Amino acid sequence: MAASTWSAAVQFDRTLIPPAIIGGFIAIGLIGAGLAVGGGVVNANTGNRQVTVRGVAERNVTADLAILSLRFTVAGEELPAVQAQIDGDLGKVRAFLRAQGYGDDIVSVGRLEVTDTQAQSYAPSPGTPHFVVAQSVTVRTTDVARVAQTERALNDLVRQGVLLDFTAPTYVFTKLNDVRPEMIAEATASARSGAEQFAKDSGAPLGPIKQATQGSFEILAREDVDTESTSLDKRVRVVATVTYQLR
């Protein structure tokens, strides 16, 4: 009897509620349902967890190709005399390089450069020689250690009266393809190690790779105080960016 009385009371009280208020209750219920559905979507997105890490691999290498460029000049008032002197200096340079152990097959002579300072559009400074002649010689060799020794011996040419416009040798590492596969593997392993640590700290098992990107290989001077092109000892570096799924 009490139960039926309660049911009747509810029905009786509902008849006392204006329709507008009943509609408001229904709208509130729908809004609540919408929030619940929205929360479900958010939870689904957060369930799709992933971690992106970077792995670095570095390796010390030594250049295997050296390029030594020697440029020398002669200046004077009479072109034939200047040309004769530059030819003499070229002979001295060739003899010097042979004494250093370089065969003629790896020594190339550049084109002769002749400057007539009197033919310039602007007037030369007083005392400027009429003619300036320059000649260049280039050695290209895989004997990089020999080039390093030759660089220290260039004073011998200066003592012979050769006016050198000297630039440091260029050292090149040409065997990048030989180290590329192992370095990519090292960078990927480094990335996985970081991802495993992250997964361990977050308490989520590490899943498969979702995306991986390999950065460009960089060849740097081994010591930061040097420039890469003139450094015999170099450092190769690559970065791999890997995204892992978290289960």
Side-chain angles (χ1 to χ4, degrees):
M1 181 67 180
S4 60
T5 303
W6 176 83
S7 176
V10 171
Q11 293 176 4
F12 176 77
D13 290 341
R14 182 178 180 184
T15 60
L16 297 178
I17 300 174
I21 296 178
I22 295 176
F25 288 159
I26 294 174
I28 292 173
L30 291 175
I31 292 174
L35 288 175
V37 173
V41 173
V42 171
N43 291 335
N45 286 338
T46 56
N48 185 23
R49 293 175 297 175
Q50 62 188 34
V51 57
T52 299
V53 290
R54 299 174 66 194
V56 180
E58 291 188 342
R59 181 167 298 190
N60 290 333
V61 298
T62 301
D64 56 282
L65 175 66
I67 302 170
L68 174 65
S69 296
L70 302 177
R71 186 177 184 273
F72 44 99
T73 59
V74 174
E77 299 301 322
E78 301 295 333
L79 183 57
V82 173
Q83 288 180 318
Q85 187 174 346
I86 202 74
D87 290 341
D89 286 352
L90 177 58
K92 294 175 184 177
V93 171
R94 282 185 173 278
F96 169 80
L97 293 175
R98 291 191 191 100
Q100 290 290 315
Y102 303 105
D104 291 341
D105 57 321
I106 63 172
V107 178
S108 60
V109 180
R111 67 182 183 86
L112 196 67
E113 302 173 30
V114 180
T115 302
D116 183 353
T117 61
Q118 304 297 325
Q120 304 293 337
S121 58
Y122 54 88
S125 302
T128 300
H130 190 164
F131 295 101
V132 178
V133 179
Q135 180 70 72
S136 61
V137 173
T138 302
V139 177
R140 189 182 181 92
T141 178
T142 56
D143 194 348
V144 294
R146 186 180 299 276
V147 170
Q149 294 174 355
T150 301
E151 183 181 6
R152 294 190 290 269
L154 287 175
N155 284 338
D156 293 345
L157 278 175
V158 177
R159 293 189 189 99
Q160 297 178 50
V162 179
L163 185 60
L164 283 176
D165 181 13
F166 175 71
T167 57
T170 298
Y171 295 103
V172 183
F173 178 66
T174 67
K175 298 180 180 179
L176 182 59
N177 287 337
D178 293 348
V179 301
R180 186 191 301 271
E182 291 183 1
M183 290 192 64
I184 292 175
E186 290 173 10
T188 304
S190 173
R192 183 171 184 84
S193 177
E196 288 174 344
Q197 184 62 49
F198 181 90
K200 179 181 178 180
D201 294 342
S202 63
L206 190 65
I209 292 178
K210 187 174 182 180
Q211 184 178 5
T213 303
Q214 173 204 312
S216 301
F217 275 81
E218 294 181 280
I219 301 180
L220 311 167
R222 190 174 302 181
E223 304 296 334
D224 293 335
V225 295
D226 299 327
T227 59
E228 184 275 323
S229 62
T230 60
S231 176
L232 180 61
D233 298 316
K234 301 180 186 293
R235 177 166 44 99
V236 181
R237 186 175 189 269
V238 66
V239 178
T241 303
V242 186
T243 299
Y244 288 92
Q245 191 77 38
L246 293 178
R247 294 172 179 168

